[in-house]
Amino acid sequence: MRRLRIRSSGSYFNILKSKRSILQEDDDKRFVSDIELNESCIKETFRNCYDLEYRRIKVQQKPQWIIVYINSLIDKPLLEEHVLKPLLARSAEEDIPSDAEELADQWISVGTTIISSQISEVVRNLLQGHAAILTAGSSSVITVAVPGVAKRSLEEPSSEPVIRGSKEGFIEQLSTNLGLVRSRLKTSKLKTESITLGELSQTQIVMTYLEGIAEDKVLEQVRSRLRSIQIDGVLDSGYIEEFIEDQPYSPFPQVHSTERPDVVAAELLEGKVAILVDTSPYVLIVPMTFWTGLQASEDYYIRWPIATFIRWIRFLFIHFAVFAPALYVAITTFHQEMIPTNLVLSIAGSREAVPFPAMIEALMMEIVFEALLEAGVRMPKQIGPTIGIVGGLVIGQAAVQAGLISAPVVIIVSLTGISAFTTPRFSLRNGIRLLRFPMLFMAGTLGLYGIVLGFLGIMLHVTSLRSFGKLYFAPVTPIGLAAFKDVFVRIPIRLKYRWKTNKEGGSR
């Protein structure tokens, strides 16, 4: 079971303080000039670690160098070719440098070399895929970066597919992800700041932004929130997301997560900040707005009339996803006079044998739909879609024939499910799926009045949300020209940049 310790009590702060004091003492420990003692120190630190290996290189029957590395984290052919072979070839020479800096400058020809005498720093480097070179008569240790952890190839993101656009997606390798971003923004203004989080995982987090475009207030908030995180392990960017968002109890995401490098590059150009987490293919982007969740990267790769039409489709169906079941329950239960005569007779005929009220009927079908959706996700890829489609058809048809569910409810629930999937961002889609359940209860108890109250509650909540100091509903609230420029309408890109140029020149 994963163990996450979050700072929540005074006694825990005392434990944390004592732990930090111990860690501080460990950071002060240094190597000595005795190579045997240095080796013993590393062995004691990594005792019961079978994948830690040692290679001794002797000169005149005495160990001159000891190469220490973790076998599962390094590239052994690289180590053999550029570290072990040069040392073995020159071990017979008379003039052997005993100084670590001279050895690193003249004989080591690969990777990043770090010279340190602190035990804690060398241990951290070993855990990051470095090989440590202990030298006889020197208290300094050379660590050479020769990482060799297996990584998967670049693939199209499964959660954000596009017809036109980049097919590259982030992977679990931080250096590769940074390279994907830099390949799209070839400028020295792209800045990267690194921080290590997780007392046991020691996960590297990189904050990246465009200098001169990102706001200083947002940068300071991101830095302070990241530095305030105290946790045992960071296994995915989702851990960071929960710590840095403004209101963690809101169903609406305040941090945008994506697998697409082109999305990150576009957001950075708009002055936002990206947070990359090692071992995670999802990059976090802040601040986020509600309208960001309704925009897809493909909107900017196709012609603007088509992109605008698709946006309107999303705006329309996001309302269906939240209010369609609630409206059906409210009208059929409390406001039958609003339905045309022929339609009300058809609905009454289909519900004649159904033993449940409309709210219970809709609620059962919504829960079954969510269960089928979850089962389709967790099943193997070869049979997951088949189970979802066949299960939905069989259960829906059997329930209607058995008189447990009416046919209109099956239609409404299917329309609701399709509507939710028109939202391009996965995190916002989940929030929309969740909102239809409280709206269903409001409609089943108060009718249309309950729907109006629920809608007002949602609007008050959304308009009061903030993401790193930015209003969540901006630029619609407060209203601005940008709301019409690139929210409801995707204007042509040439006009967008012309508008920006004229704005900077003082005229529009």
Side-chain angles (χ1 to χ4, degrees):
M1 182 178 291
R2 298 175 184 174
R3 182 170 59 92
L4 305 179
R5 295 203 301 266
I6 303 173
R7 285 46 179 158
S8 58
S9 63
S11 60
Y12 190 82
F13 277 109
N14 295 332
I15 297 173
L16 177 61
K17 185 176 179 180
S18 62
K19 180 186 286 189
R20 285 180 175 172
S21 64
I22 295 172
L23 292 175
Q24 185 65 36
E25 292 176 1
D26 291 339
D27 289 341
D28 294 337
K29 292 182 179 180
R30 297 179 177 272
F31 289 106
V32 296
S33 57
D34 191 327
I35 190 173
E36 299 288 350
L37 289 178
N38 294 339
E39 181 189 17
S40 300
C41 180
I42 294 180
K43 284 183 176 180
E44 177 63 23
T45 304
F46 288 96
R47 65 179 181 273
N48 298 332
C49 297
Y50 80 96
D51 54 347
L52 189 75
E53 295 187 2
Y54 303 85
R55 294 289 296 273
R56 289 171 172 259
I57 300 178
K58 296 183 178 182
V59 175
Q60 297 179 356
Q61 304 302 319
K62 293 182 180 179
Q64 179 65 29
W65 300 290
I66 300 177
I67 294 88
V68 186
Y69 56 89
I70 298 177
N71 186 31
S72 55
L73 295 180
I74 63 125
D75 186 345
K76 294 191 75 173
L78 193 66
L79 178 69
E80 293 277 351
E81 182 68 25
H82 296 280
V83 177
L84 292 177
K85 283 186 178 180
L87 294 179
L88 288 169
R90 301 191 180 186
S91 61
E93 298 180 5
E94 296 182 358
D95 187 17
I96 297 176
S98 59
D99 183 68
E101 293 185 4
E102 185 180 354
L103 178 66
D105 292 339
Q106 296 180 6
W107 290 11
I108 305 301
S109 60
V110 65
T112 302
T113 57
I114 302 173
I115 301 175
S116 177
S117 60
Q118 289 187 338
I119 297 176
S120 59
E121 184 177 357
V122 172
V123 169
R124 280 195 298 267
N125 291 338
L126 284 172
L127 293 170
Q128 292 175 0
H130 291 225
I133 304 175
L134 309 179
T135 306
S138 176
S139 60
S140 297
V141 175
I142 305 170
T143 56
V144 184
V146 282
V149 179
K151 60 181 180 181
R152 63 184 175 95
S153 59
L154 299 181
E155 301 173 351
E156 182 179 1
S158 58
S159 61
E160 300 174 77
V162 294
I163 298 175
R164 180 174 180 177
S166 173
K167 304 300 181 181
E168 290 180 331
F170 290 121
I171 61 174
E172 290 75 14
Q173 200 80 11
L174 179 59
S175 58
T176 303
N177 295 344
L178 274 175
L180 290 173
V181 177
R182 283 202 175 274
S183 66
R184 287 164 172 79
L185 297 174
K186 300 179 179 67
T187 172
S188 60
K189 292 185 178 181
L190 182 62
K191 306 300 180 182
T192 57
E193 300 180 12
S194 177
I195 181 175
T196 301
L197 296 178
E199 294 178 7
L200 300 180
S201 66
Q202 292 293 301
T203 306
Q204 187 179 5
I205 315 294
V206 173
M207 182 182 77
T208 180
Y209 58 92
L210 284 172
E211 188 178 37
I213 299 180
E215 296 184 14
D216 293 336
K217 291 183 179 179
V218 175
L219 292 174
E220 284 301 320
Q221 286 197 44
V222 175
R223 291 191 189 101
S224 62
R225 295 187 190 187
L226 288 176
R227 290 168 183 166
S228 64
I229 296 175
Q230 299 294 334
I231 190 173
D232 282 349
V234 177
L235 305 182
D236 187 77
S237 59
Y239 289 23
I240 305 298
E241 180 178 351
E242 289 197 27
F243 275 99
I244 64 176
E245 61 185 356
D246 291 64
Q247 295 190 22
Y249 301 107
S250 172
F252 294 95
Q254 297 120 63
V255 178
H256 179 200
S257 60
T258 180
E259 288 185 276
R260 301 188 61 86
D262 56 334
V263 172
V264 174
E267 298 279 20
L268 291 176
L269 288 170
E270 294 182 1
K272 297 184 180 181
V273 182
I275 302 171
L276 291 80
V277 180
D278 194 17
T279 71
S280 174
Y282 283 89
V283 173
L284 307 179
I285 305 172
V286 295
M288 178 186 178
T289 65
F290 176 81
W291 308 105
T292 303
L294 292 177
Q295 296 175 358
S297 59
E298 198 172 11
D299 291 354
Y300 299 92
Y301 305 149
I302 60 178
R303 299 183 68 250
W304 71 271
I306 305 301
T308 301
F309 173 72
I310 293 174
R311 282 190 180 180
W312 291 347
I313 291 292
R314 295 192 196 115
F315 295 151
L316 174 64
F317 277 85
I318 194 175
H319 290 87
F320 284 171
V322 178
F323 298 108
L327 282 171
Y328 172 80
V329 170
I331 292 175
T332 56
T333 305
F334 297 99
H335 311 282
Q336 296 91 346
E337 68 278 1
M338 297 179 63
I339 311 176
T341 304
N342 292 335
L343 181 57
V344 74
L345 291 176
S346 176
I347 294 176
S350 64
R351 296 198 70 254
E352 183 178 2
V354 177
F356 306 108
M359 187 185 76
I360 301 299
E361 184 184 4
L363 182 62
M364 287 193 306
M365 281 303 298
E366 289 288 356
I367 293 175
V368 170
F369 179 83
E370 292 295 329
L372 287 172
L373 183 63
E374 182 67 14
V377 172
R378 305 305 166 195
M379 293 288 285
K381 290 184 179 180
Q382 292 79 2
I383 61 175
T386 305
I387 293 297
I389 296 172
V390 174
L393 292 175
V394 171
I395 292 176
Q397 183 66 24
V400 171
Q401 291 181 352
L404 299 176
I405 301 294
S406 62
V409 169
V410 176
I411 297 173
I412 292 295
V413 171
S414 302
L415 176 64
T416 303
I418 295 172
S419 302
F421 285 101
T422 60
T423 306
R425 305 302 179 192
F426 179 75
S427 54
L428 181 61
R429 186 190 310 160
N430 287 339
I432 296 301
R433 287 165 53 193
L434 182 64
L435 283 176
R436 65 174 178 256
F437 288 99
M439 291 302 303
L440 194 59
F441 283 108
M442 294 289 287
T445 54
L446 298 176
L448 289 179
Y449 300 104
I451 295 178
V452 172
L453 290 176
F455 175 75
L456 291 176
I458 292 173
M459 291 304 299
L460 288 173
H461 175 70
V462 172
T463 53
S464 64
L465 271 180
R466 289 181 179 270
S467 177
F468 288 81
K470 301 295 181 180
L471 285 172
Y472 194 64
F473 223 55
V476 175
T477 305
I479 192 68
L481 181 60
F484 304 95
K485 177 173 67 73
D486 199 29
V487 171
F488 299 110
V489 177
R490 204 285 272 172
I491 65 171
I493 293 179
R494 59 178 181 175
L495 294 182
K496 179 179 179 181
Y497 284 99
R498 184 185 301 169
W499 181 88
K500 180 179 179 181
T501 305
N502 292 340
K503 182 181 178 182
E504 292 174 352
S507 63
R508 298 181 182 176

